[in-house]
Amino acid sequence: MRRRSAAGARTVYKLCSLLLQYPDDELRAAAGELREAVRGLPRSRAAQALDEFMEWWTACDPLALEEHYVQSFDLDKRSGLYLTFYAKGDKRERGMALVRLKQMYRACGLPLEGTELPDYLPVMLEFAAAAPEGRGELVLHEHRAALELVRLSLHDHQDPYARLLDAVCLTLGEASATDLASVRRLIGDGPPQELVGLEPFAPPDVMPELEARR
Amino acid sequence: MADRASPLLEAHRFLRRGPVSEEGWSQLVAKDRDWERSYRGRWAHDKVVRSTHGVNCTGSCSWKVYVKDGLITWESQAVDYPSTGPDMPEYEPRGCPRGASFSWYTYSPLRLKYPYVRGSLLAMFREARRRLGDPVDAWAEIVDDPERSRLYRRQRGKGGFVRASWDEVVEIVAAAHVHTIKRHGPDRCVGFTPIPAMSMASYAAGTRFLSLIGGVILSFYDWYADLPPSSPQVFGDQTDVPESGDWFNSGYLIIWGTNIPTTRTPDAHFMVEARYRGQKVVVVSPDYAEHTKFADHWLAGAPGSDGAMAMAMGHVILKEFYVDREVPYFRDYARRFTDLPMLVTLREREDGAHVPDRLLRASDIGEDEENAEWKPVLIDERTGKPAVPNGSVGHRYGEPGRWNLKLDGVEPLLTVFDRAEERVAVDLPRFDEGERERGAAMRRGVPAVRVGGKLVTTVLDLLLAQYGVARDGLPGEWPADYDDPAPATPAWQEAISGVDRHLVARVGREFARNAERTQGRSMIAMGAGTNHWFHSDETYRTFLALVMLCGCEGVNGGGWAHYVGQEKVRPLAGWQTVAFALDWVRPPRHQSGTPFFYLASGQWRYEKVQPADVASALGTGVFDGMHIADVNALGARLGWLPSFPSFDRSTLDLVDEAREKGVEVSDHVVSELRDGKLGFACEDPDAPDNHPKVMTVWRSNLLGSSGKGHEYFLKHMLGTTENAVRAEETPPELRPRDVKWRDASPDGKLDLLTTVDFRMTSNALFSDVVLPAATWYEKYDLSSTDLHPFVHTFNQAVPPPWENKTDWETFKRVAERFSELAEKHLGKRSDVIAAPLLHDSADEIAQPLGEVRDWRAGECEPIPGKTMPKLIVVERDYPAVADKWKALGPLVEQLGTQVKGANWVADEEVEHLRAQNGAVRGGAADGRPSLARVEEACEAILTLSGTTNGRLATEGFRSLERSCGVPLADLSGTREADRISFQDAQIQPRTVITSPEWSGIEAHGRRYAPFTINVEREKPWHTLSGRMQFYLDHEWMLELGEGLPVYRPPLHYRAIFGDQRAGADEGRTELTLNYLTPHSKWSIHSEYQDNLHMLTLFRGGGMLWVSREDAEALDIHDNDWVEAYNRNGVIACRATVTHRVPQGTCMMYHAKDRHLNVPLTELQGKRGGTDNSATRIVMKPTHFIGGYAQLSFGFNYYGPTGSQRDEIVVLRKREAEVVFQ
């Protein structure tokens, strides 16, 4: 039972990895194959979500679908697919977070090729589908808050792509209380900000509120 | 989790696991020390690469970029600048938080990663291409079809982008160019990219392509209104200013309209350090800005009153240092380096009073030597006789050896007061009172003598009259003392600026006294704050008068220091060779940006300010009945300034016609023009064939940043339906006299707008095609600035990620596809270029005595290069464009290099480049040095410039020695064998070599200060008199009352446009306020303004800064939503209520893109605008003057500025709900 559902999860990740990529000719040409794979999934809410998405995706006018994708993922910062941005924001730590992911892929025997960034969700999903047992979902769990944020943001726009994020999140299981708190914080404040160098530096006697803040 | 064994139960507390050696005395423990790697590796990097930021911030700071595992992780300041030597602060470290945050952008979610085309356009193109089998035919069919054409134009700015392959988008761009050239001629293809110094090769990539196809390259400096026209007017030079290190040498610094700590952050320390050395700092600024806190005195003058303050300072200086007492240093300097001793004729008016006319010439006193009409005259104090001093523009193009400032014993007489034969009443203009812009006349007097039968006085005598400095016995009305409120006393300025008269007098006095004691080390740093006004040229001339009167110009630590952008391309000669393809074809089609955009964006159709309105009360009605578009048309046909597109016919077809007829091309063009069969395109700018068709923008956010009159751009150039233009068209009685008015205004003139950028800027959002560019850490390039004397490099830390490409690669691909398509559609053609009369060439003595002669009105014959543009035929081998683009052409050796009057032949250098870059094999450029790779282009730029190649600098100085007859070659002689290679500059920023490309001496560790060569070596300025000119005697300058520096207030927009309030009927409270758009620390000069920090600093979007008083009157509280609008457009944003802004003025910082926190407007229900939605450019007729010494065209040197600062807006609190689209 457990083994079968793990295999199902890998397929969900793999399918989402593909479907979250740009719907170019090559991907659209594989629609039949993708649909077959979705139908072959064991029944689950995730499979249901994928099925619904496929229905929309295959029915779309190709050019309209491309426009839709660009609008959803290339030009909207709230639903971008580069997930370390949500955790690290525009901070110097983001570079290190990217390096860490890249090294992890390599350590697992799945080095990243080409010019794509390691925190691109389709990359993470491909990794989750292919990585050694127990390692793949780790990256997704680590970015659970970001996944939720993108998911909610897509739902806000009634974007059919939200169903893919639903599928990923359903497969991952319930989000932890900490993750949900992070989502709330991200919705409220956006990604974290660099604060280095922004501390007030006037003498303490002219900055009475400084003490209170500490 | 649940099925994993408990660590506690698994772990051993007493026994070790693992194999034991057979002997039993050793054991292998499996724990490795891998965990240490993360600590060891934390500060290890693949590589550390030097680069910089091409953001036009003027910093040009060198940075170290750290790459880890193939990813850019962070950057730090480079600290290895060459030393400034002992007793000087160093340049290192340079770099500010804006630069330190740039590495974030590389991987930012909103970075452009793929080429985009609007879906509707792509679908049409694919369909037509498939059906017709040819991309050019496909493009032609789409743009010829009104329906399809309108469809994609109306979608501009409304999303709908899809990704497309590079091959496909490059084909669209190339096909559009080929079709446009085929149908309309090459001058309908246009490119806009600014500020070459911030990334020289990237600039050159596109302009080289455009130059080879005959396309049009737009100027930016004058368009931005950053170019101070006073610099060419006074110095005959574009903008030559000291490096920031020279601030340290100054004893007295007035900071006037430039917020140094905010916008010159890495250089501000020199100003702070100089204070410890005893420098006094005076700040003139209407708002309490960041630099104000450094000031010893703060002159908080009303916006636009700067000229009045400066005149009052000049009044004090003239009175106390020229009349009451003579300062030997000032007197000597004024005689040798200024036009103050030159004689000016006085013209009698009908009422018997006189007005100053033009400079007396050698031709007026019977001298018949060469170019006598171009040689001003003075009186020799020793003999009392007129003398024609060396060094004027007439000598420059005459017999070599006399273009110098040597006086050969002549002692120029500064004033004829003691020898006056007559004391003459003169009428002079004043603009502080009288009829609106025209002002009034005031009567003063000058001493005069008769020379060659003409009544003359000196420029100094006139200046004293204009500045109201009385001398006994002169007729006219004069102020009694400093407290007399007549022009130009301290009391007079107090009424205008609101600044205490004693303070202004004191600053003027101290400025001069410091200069007297230090031999000229008083400096004025100035910038956009005083420079974007309609009359900023006159304002600047009142400043320049101060530094010239006090002998500060051409002195280290003294003079003017204008900083508005990163203007100084130090390796100028090599850069312009590569950028404008001067190695293959000359001349390029350089176009003044301002009149181009003025016509293309339809702003001319809404004009209400007439040229005659801004003439002086003493004017003779030269401009009566003219619209400023008529002035542009006149300038175009007289050869004053370029005008592309040129004719209402293809310039390729014109050549074919002439050859068919068997006549000279220029004869054909002239006869067609004369017969009225051929017209200039600018005379009918809205005709369907006469406007630009294809435009490429790179390294710039034209629509989001510099696009003054933003809404007009959207309406007329782009044809979007969302524009917010509210203005009525110019009423019939004010419409052009000569330029054709068409009732139907064409909307959506451009067939194709392409943006190359790494951000989705406003310009990109409105484009048809968007190409993803490499960032500054992903390409090789060169950087230099006014602010420091080094040339240094961009380097590729990582290759461009995703599908991004460097500008060099992008335009290479466009050129290659263009050439392939040209094979079938264009082939070889000949092209005729209508080129303007150029500054720094013999063209500039084409139209003598500053008189305007229009051949069309029969006032003279149409003679190309004399009374009209030059007509130059060039060959265009269109299929060979890519081959030529990728190699250095033969004109480098064949025609040599000309730069600012110096010239050389870089033959050895071509050989060097052939060896260094390799020679091209086969094709049109067989055997020529390769430029295919950008590093090769950078190498060529450095090798072919004097500042980076001592041999060429010295050759250039030798050529100047021949024309000047003074020794110069030693200036670069000590570095003659130095050549700074690209590799040298990659290793360390390199100090450039003194070169005739610039005017300062920087040998032996001296800081760069402009015109030190002129002062120390007696090399003339590039002006009519060869001296710095107070007096400008062109007919049109006099018509505007601007023969001399004079205070002109902002345009009276309230009177011109009347009450623009829209809410009066609804009982809304509204205020009309002056509208300023200053530069902020975090927007235009930091590319990365749309990240969270920058947005947080600006409360998430554009803000309107309002004074407490105005806010109270409108019941606006801090952070309330407000609306600011006028006839040009509508702005919806929040208010910042602040004590820093004076009552009656509001400010919106420049260049906020309109996708950031911009709601729908209350007034129109459309998306609110940018800061430029409320602006519209106005042009000054004098900026069109050409063919007259320093008042001749040069690209980004002289031309109409796009001024917008005189604007007003109506402000009100927003009542409607805030809704976003």
Side-chain angles (χ1 to χ4, degrees):
Chain A
M1 178 65 199
R2 202 188 136 63
R3 178 157 294 277
R4 219 174 61 214
S5 88
R10 282 178 189 265
T11 314
V12 170
Y13 297 145
K14 181 65 189 173
L15 281 166
C16 288
S17 168
L18 288 166
L19 290 167
L20 277 168
Q21 292 175 49
Y22 192 71
D24 55 16
D25 294 346
E26 190 189 343
L27 194 60
R28 281 200 312 272
E33 205 178 323
L34 291 164
R35 182 165 277 267
E36 278 310 301
V38 170
R39 288 198 180 130
L41 284 171
R43 274 171 60 95
S44 68
R45 286 170 63 201
Q48 175 69 24
L50 270 168
D51 198 47
E52 281 172 36
F53 175 80
M54 278 308 288
E55 196 153 319
W56 171 79
W57 192 80
T58 43
C60 263
D61 166 64
L63 209 59
L65 178 63
E66 291 184 41
E67 280 185 27
H68 182 100
Y69 184 94
V70 168
Q71 194 56 45
S72 297
F73 298 118
D74 287 6
L75 302 181
D76 194 336
K77 197 151 63 171
R78 284 176 191 277
S79 50
L81 296 179
Y82 294 88
L83 298 193
T84 60
F85 175 73
Y86 300 100
K88 303 297 180 186
D90 281 325
K91 290 172 69 177
R92 66 193 69 188
E93 284 89 351
R94 179 143 182 251
M96 285 312 296
L98 291 171
V99 170
R100 200 185 133 263
L101 273 173
K102 202 169 176 181
Q103 290 174 343
M104 185 201 282
Y105 297 157
R106 190 184 299 130
C108 291
L110 295 165
L112 183 64
E113 279 192 316
T115 62
E116 198 43 90
L117 285 184
D119 69 337
Y120 182 47
L121 179 54
V123 172
M124 288 184 174
L125 287 166
E126 185 170 293
F127 178 74
E133 191 69 38
R135 304 295 285 274
E137 292 190 341
L138 198 64
V139 290
L140 296 173
H141 281 300
E142 275 183 3
H143 294 89
R144 185 58 193 267
L147 282 170
E148 288 293 333
L149 185 81
V150 174
R151 193 174 71 85
L152 294 175
S153 171
L154 291 169
H155 273 297
D156 275 354
H157 291 94
Q158 276 113 41
D159 191 321
Y161 272 102
R163 297 302 279 148
L164 292 181
L165 273 291
D166 288 344
V168 173
C169 290
L170 285 165
T171 312
L172 280 173
E174 290 283 306
S176 71
T178 329
D179 285 337
L180 292 177
S182 301
V183 175
R184 279 193 295 277
R185 189 186 50 73
L186 277 170
I187 292 172
D189 303 348
Q193 297 184 61
E194 184 65 77
L195 296 173
V196 172
L198 296 181
E199 298 259 314
F201 54 87
D205 50 329
V206 295
M207 299 226 50
E209 79 275 23
L210 197 65
E211 279 309 304
R213 216 183 311 173
R214 279 178 182 161
Chain B
M1 280 295 185
D3 59 350
R4 191 188 283 178
S6 149
L8 184 66
L9 297 178
E10 289 265 302
H12 294 193
R13 287 202 168 178
F14 308 107
L15 302 172
R16 272 185 181 161
R17 295 176 205 267
V20 177
S21 72
E22 278 182 25
E23 294 84 1
W25 49 263
S26 75
Q27 187 175 14
L28 189 67
V29 182
K31 280 184 185 164
D32 61 27
R33 295 174 65 176
D34 265 4
W35 61 275
E36 292 175 7
R37 241 189 285 161
S38 61
Y39 288 92
R40 288 188 208 286
R42 176 64 186 90
W43 302 106
H45 300 88
D46 307 357
K47 53 183 173 177
V48 181
V49 178
R50 178 188 303 283
S51 199
T52 178
H53 307 108
V55 66
N56 187 23
C57 63
T58 72
S60 185
C61 308
S62 191
W63 285 81
K64 294 189 284 187
V65 184
Y66 294 77
V67 182
K68 195 176 177 68
D69 211 352
L71 291 160
I72 291 168
T73 48
W74 57 298
E75 64 269 270
S76 69
Q77 295 166 328
V79 293
D80 55 354
Y81 298 87
S83 174
T84 51
D87 300 328
M88 272 291 298
E90 296 287 356
Y91 273 99
E92 72 87 8
R94 298 175 67 76
C96 70
R98 283 155 279 180
S101 66
F102 185 70
S103 59
W104 306 338
Y105 212 103
T106 316
Y107 307 122
S108 172
L110 287 190
R111 177 177 178 179
L112 283 174
K113 305 178 182 76
Y114 302 93
Y116 292 110
V117 189
R118 217 170 290 290
S120 53
L121 177 62
L122 187 64
M124 291 189 288
F125 182 75
R126 282 177 178 165
E127 186 278 324
R129 192 193 186 296
R130 205 176 308 123
R131 185 161 40 76
L132 300 170
D134 183 284
V136 178
D137 294 342
W139 182 259
E141 191 188 81
I142 294 168
V143 297
D144 284 347
D145 176 358
E147 191 114 341
R148 277 185 281 176
S149 205
R150 198 175 312 118
L151 181 73
Y152 75 87
R153 283 166 220 248
R154 291 171 83 93
Q155 279 182 348
R156 287 170 177 162
K158 292 181 186 161
F161 283 119
V162 296
R163 295 184 195 170
S165 72
W166 267 95
D167 285 345
E168 196 163 27
V169 286
V170 161
E171 184 171 277
I172 294 174
V173 173
H177 281 87
V178 170
H179 165 71
T180 305
I181 293 171
K182 191 176 172 184
R183 174 76 58 83
H184 305 283
D187 60 2
R188 270 68 167 171
C189 299
V190 188
F192 182 75
T193 189
I195 316 289
M198 72 181 181
S199 50
M200 300 174 202
S202 300
Y203 180 106
T207 54
R208 186 168 172 82
F209 169 68
L210 286 167
S211 300
L212 286 167
I213 67 170
V216 178
I217 299 155
L218 298 173
S219 69
F220 50 89
Y221 195 26
D222 34 5
W223 161 239
Y224 288 175
D226 285 350
L227 182 153
S230 55
S231 177
Q233 288 167 349
V234 173
F235 303 131
D237 220 302
Q238 184 216 44
T239 314
D240 209 355
V241 294
E243 62 177 81
S244 59
D246 202 41
W247 304 345
F248 187 74
N249 292 323
S250 173
Y252 201 95
L253 178 65
I254 303 181
I255 306 177
W256 209 327
T258 179
N259 190 349
I260 282 174
T262 291
T263 56
R264 308 288 163 246
T265 312
D267 298 288
H269 70 92
F270 285 113
M271 179 262 291
V272 179
E273 284 148 356
R275 286 163 51 80
Y276 286 101
R277 199 194 194 201
Q279 180 187 80
K280 185 160 186 173
V281 174
V282 176
V283 162
V284 190
S285 170
D287 60 326
Y288 185 83
E290 199 179 347
H291 60 323
T292 314
K293 67 175 182 282
F294 292 102
D296 295 298
H297 296 298
W298 175 28
L299 276 54
S305 68
D306 309 276
M309 286 183 270
M311 278 195 88
M313 291 178 195
H315 177 91
V316 171
I317 291 168
L318 284 166
K319 169 108 178 85
E320 298 180 16
F321 296 81
Y322 274 78
V323 173
D324 292 354
R325 179 169 73 90
E326 199 176 57
V327 176
Y329 173 70
F330 293 176
R331 183 195 56 200
D332 181 53
Y333 184 95
R335 281 174 160 184
R336 295 172 62 204
F337 305 123
T338 75
D339 66 346
L340 287 175
M342 300 295 171
L343 298 175
V344 181
T345 61
L346 298 167
R347 179 166 56 82
E348 192 167 354
R349 297 202 356 132
E350 287 138 21
D351 60 355
H354 286 72
V355 287
D357 200 15
R358 60 172 176 77
L359 290 171
L360 190 77
R361 309 298 164 87
S363 55
D364 293 316
I365 55 169
E367 299 279 349
D368 57 359
E369 56 184 297
E370 198 179 10
N371 303 331
E373 284 176 326
W374 294 95
K375 293 176 179 172
V377 180
L378 47 74
I379 291 176
D380 186 349
E381 189 162 354
R382 296 168 314 168
T383 63
K385 295 227 158 43
V388 181
N390 286 353
S392 66
V393 73
H395 294 105
R396 185 176 183 186
Y397 300 105
E399 180 197 345
R402 283 189 62 201
W403 188 46
N404 60 51
L405 298 177
K406 287 195 284 193
L407 288 169
D408 297 330
V410 171
E411 286 179 21
L413 184 68
L414 281 170
T415 167
V416 293
F417 187 73
D418 293 332
R419 307 173 186 225
E421 296 163 12
E422 292 176 45
R423 291 160 196 273
V424 181
V426 290
D427 281 348
L428 295 166
R430 64 183 293 185
F431 297 97
D432 56 308
E433 64 171 41
E435 183 203 342
R436 230 166 64 186
E437 324 299 340
R438 294 175 63 84
M442 57 181 181
R443 182 150 299 176
R444 296 250 159 95
V446 289
V449 292
R450 284 201 180 267
V451 175
K454 288 190 158 60
L455 196 63
V456 296
T457 185
T458 69
V459 173
L460 178 63
D461 285 319
L462 279 170
L463 192 72
L464 289 166
Q466 183 76 58
Y467 276 66
V469 180
R471 284 174 292 176
D472 288 340
L474 292 178
E477 289 171 25
W478 299 84
D481 54 28
Y482 290 171
D483 292 322
D484 186 336
T489 66
W492 166 80
Q493 73 74 34
E494 186 177 295
I496 295 165
S497 71
V499 178
D500 177 49
R501 64 188 73 173
H502 302 103
L503 187 55
V504 168
R506 177 178 171 178
V507 170
R509 187 179 300 123
E510 288 178 352
F511 187 85
R513 183 72 180 131
N514 175 71
E516 180 185 358
R517 296 165 77 167
T518 61
Q519 307 272 290
R521 292 199 297 115
S522 292
M523 186 181 279
I524 305 178
M526 42 218 209
T530 49
N531 191 42
H532 285 205
W533 299 89
F534 185 81
H535 289 304
S536 74
D537 52 351
E538 275 296 89
T539 302
Y540 258 45
R541 282 172 70 196
T542 62
F543 299 173
L544 297 182
L546 303 178
V547 297
M548 293 191 289
L549 287 172
C550 299
C552 306
E553 205 53 65
V555 174
N556 274 105
W560 82 312
H562 162 98
Y563 307 103
V564 179
Q566 200 166 321
E567 304 304 338
K568 195 166 265 155
V569 184
R570 292 194 183 259
L572 181 65
W575 167 76
Q576 66 187 27
T577 303
V578 174
F580 304 128
L582 303 179
D583 49 331
W584 285 107
V585 60
R586 302 180 189 184
R589 282 197 166 95
H590 281 158
Q591 165 68 20
S592 304
T594 313
F596 174 87
F597 288 123
Y598 183 72
L599 295 180
S601 67
Q603 296 189 41
W604 70 282
R605 298 181 64 92
Y606 305 86
E607 191 56 81
K608 273 198 165 174
V609 179
Q610 299 285 301
D613 295 345
V614 295
S616 123
L618 292 161
T620 56
V622 166
F623 299 118
D624 287 353
M626 284 176 97
H627 182 285
I628 194 79
D630 293 327
V631 171
N632 180 54
L634 180 71
R637 69 175 173 270
L638 267 52
W640 285 0
L641 77 171
S643 183
F644 302 118
S646 285
F647 301 113
D648 55 10
R649 205 180 302 170
S650 161
T651 52
L652 303 179
D653 295 346
L654 274 171
V655 179
D656 290 348
E657 290 165 14
R659 292 192 175 155
E660 242 165 68
K661 282 190 188 170
V663 295
E664 282 291 315
V665 177
S666 63
D667 292 344
H668 174 63
V669 173
V670 170
S671 83
E672 293 277 290
L673 281 171
R674 197 204 298 259
D675 298 347
K677 291 183 198 155
L678 179 69
F680 286 88
C682 67
E683 292 171 331
D684 186 4
D686 285 348
D689 289 337
N690 284 358
H691 51 70
K693 300 286 182 185
V694 177
M695 185 175 203
T696 308
V697 177
W698 71 108
R699 301 161 69 259
S700 165
N701 181 8
L702 174 66
L703 290 164
S705 169
S706 68
K708 288 168 275 196
H710 178 84
E711 305 293 342
Y712 301 95
F713 275 80
L714 299 194
K715 179 171 166 58
H716 293 289
M717 247 171 73
L718 300 181
T720 73
T721 50
E722 288 298 297
N723 72 81
V725 173
R726 300 174 64 247
E728 308 223 317
E729 290 193 325
T730 305
E733 66 277 13
L734 297 180
R735 287 180 189 170
R737 186 182 69 190
D738 307 330
V739 170
K740 181 165 179 178
W741 180 276
R742 287 171 184 258
D743 285 332
S745 78
D747 291 348
K749 290 178 180 173
L750 289 183
D751 291 345
L752 182 71
L753 176 61
T754 305
T755 298
V756 185
D757 207 320
F758 51 79
R759 290 177 59 216
M760 199 52 142
T761 60
S762 289
N763 209 77
L765 285 168
F766 283 109
S767 293
D768 304 304
V769 170
V770 181
L771 300 174
T775 67
W776 305 311
Y777 295 170
E778 298 157 8
K779 64 180 177 186
Y780 296 98
D781 212 323
L782 291 167
S783 175
S784 71
T785 176
D786 285 308
L787 277 291
H788 67 55
F790 313 114
V791 59
H792 61 115
T793 54
F794 294 78
N795 291 289
Q796 195 175 71
V798 296
W802 297 287
E803 296 193 18
N804 298 67
K805 292 195 186 302
T806 64
D807 294 350
W808 200 256
E809 285 302 315
T810 297
F811 283 102
K812 189 198 294 178
R813 290 185 70 140
V814 171
E816 284 169 345
R817 190 72 188 118
F818 174 92
S819 299
E820 288 162 15
L821 298 176
E823 197 76 57
K824 173 180 166 194
H825 291 278
L826 294 173
K828 283 190 187 179
R829 301 288 301 266
S830 299
D831 185 11
V832 58
I833 299 173
L837 305 167
L838 284 184
H839 180 50
D840 280 334
S841 82
D843 298 347
E844 66 181 2
I845 54 169
Q847 300 181 4
L849 304 180
E851 292 166 355
V852 181
R853 299 271 177 271
D854 182 2
W855 53 264
R856 182 162 284 165
E859 292 162 0
C860 61
E861 281 298 303
I863 305 166
K866 181 80 180 152
T867 62
M868 63 174 287
K870 294 175 284 184
L871 296 168
I872 302 165
V873 179
V874 299
E875 301 307 314
R876 307 253 179 235
D877 184 354
Y878 283 114
V881 161
D883 283 355
K884 291 181 176 181
W885 189 94
K886 288 186 279 190
L888 188 71
L891 300 189
V892 177
E893 313 95 281
Q894 289 169 9
L895 296 181
T897 300
Q898 290 82 35
V899 57
K900 297 183 183 173
N903 56 70
W904 59 69
V905 178
D907 45 4
E908 289 175 28
E909 283 69 19
V910 171
E911 282 314 311
H912 168 78
L913 286 169
R914 209 191 309 272
Q916 178 74 31
N917 292 356
V920 171
R921 289 187 203 167
D926 186 38
R928 300 299 306 172
S930 170
L931 299 180
R933 292 163 61 239
V934 67
E935 302 95 303
E936 294 164 355
C938 293
E939 195 70 59
I941 290 171
L942 295 174
T943 305
L944 299 175
S945 297
T947 50
T948 43
N949 182 346
R951 190 187 88 83
L952 295 183
T954 310
E955 282 294 306
F957 277 127
R958 289 207 181 99
S959 75
L960 278 179
E961 283 182 342
R962 287 190 288 277
S963 53
C964 296
V966 295
L968 294 166
D970 61 300
L971 293 173
S972 55
T974 54
R975 295 189 66 185
E976 187 170 350
D978 274 15
R979 195 176 51 73
I980 301 171
S981 69
F982 188 60
Q983 193 187 24
D984 291 331
Q986 287 179 301
I987 293 167
Q988 188 190 15
R990 300 289 170 168
T991 309
V992 295
I993 302 163
T994 304
S995 161
E997 288 152 293
W998 303 101
S999 67
I1001 303 171
E1002 34 197 343
H1004 308 300
R1006 264 178 80 169
R1007 297 301 100 213
Y1008 183 93
F1011 309 124
T1012 44
I1013 294 178
N1014 308 65
V1015 166
E1016 293 172 28
R1017 298 303 178 92
E1018 301 187 306
K1019 185 209 151 228
W1021 276 264
H1022 298 190
T1023 59
L1024 173 64
S1025 66
R1027 280 82 178 156
M1028 296 182 281
Q1029 290 204 207
F1030 285 87
Y1031 194 66
L1032 299 172
D1033 67 351
H1034 190 276
E1035 188 183 312
W1036 282 15
M1037 295 302 298
L1038 302 178
E1039 178 72 14
L1040 260 71
E1042 299 182 6
L1044 286 166
V1046 63
Y1047 163 66
R1048 298 199 71 164
L1051 296 178
H1052 298 72
Y1053 269 19
R1054 286 163 209 256
I1056 296 169
F1057 294 104
D1059 191 350
Q1060 297 184 66
R1061 287 177 299 170
D1065 302 340
E1066 308 153 35
R1068 301 279 294 266
T1069 317
E1070 299 176 312
L1071 277 179
T1072 303
L1073 303 173
N1074 293 337
Y1075 178 63
L1076 307 182
T1077 52
H1079 285 186
S1080 73
K1081 193 164 191 161
W1082 304 114
S1083 58
I1084 182 167
H1085 294 304
S1086 152
E1087 195 79 9
Y1088 199 20
Q1089 57 171 304
D1090 51 1
N1091 74 45
L1092 202 59
H1093 318 299
M1094 306 303 163
L1095 293 177
T1096 308
L1097 286 167
F1098 268 91
R1099 306 189 194 183
M1103 299 293 297
L1104 201 77
W1105 293 55
V1106 188
S1107 73
R1108 288 186 300 197
E1109 296 82 357
D1110 294 327
E1112 201 178 308
L1114 295 171
D1115 188 31
I1116 294 169
H1117 297 274
D1118 191 56
N1119 220 34
D1120 278 353
W1121 285 95
V1122 296
E1123 197 144 294
Y1125 64 90
N1126 58 19
R1127 67 212 181 282
N1128 305 317
V1130 190
I1131 295 164
C1133 64
R1134 289 181 186 271
T1136 304
V1137 177
T1138 172
H1139 62 283
R1140 292 173 165 223
V1141 175
Q1143 187 177 2
T1145 296
C1146 63
M1147 311 195 316
M1148 186 171 194
Y1149 280 107
H1150 184 41
K1152 294 293 180 200
D1153 273 319
R1154 59 191 297 194
H1155 55 271
L1156 301 171
N1157 206 17
V1158 176
L1160 300 179
T1161 64
E1162 188 180 62
L1163 206 61
Q1164 291 178 313
K1166 297 175 177 176
R1167 184 192 281 257
T1170 73
D1171 61 304
N1172 272 326
S1173 290
T1175 62
R1176 187 185 146 277
I1177 51 168
V1178 271
M1179 297 190 291
K1180 193 166 175 176
T1182 44
H1183 297 177
F1184 290 81
I1185 298 172
Y1188 189 61
Q1190 75 266 36
L1191 303 185
S1192 298
F1193 177 76
F1195 186 56
N1196 289 311
Y1197 160 83
Y1198 197 65
T1201 56
S1203 70
Q1204 85 295 338
R1205 184 134 297 164
D1206 310 56
E1207 194 54 80
I1208 50 172
V1209 292
V1210 179
L1211 178 67
R1212 66 187 191 182
K1213 185 175 177 169
R1214 185 181 180 116
E1215 286 181 358
E1217 195 192 343
V1218 175
V1219 186
F1220 294 89
Q1221 201 162 27

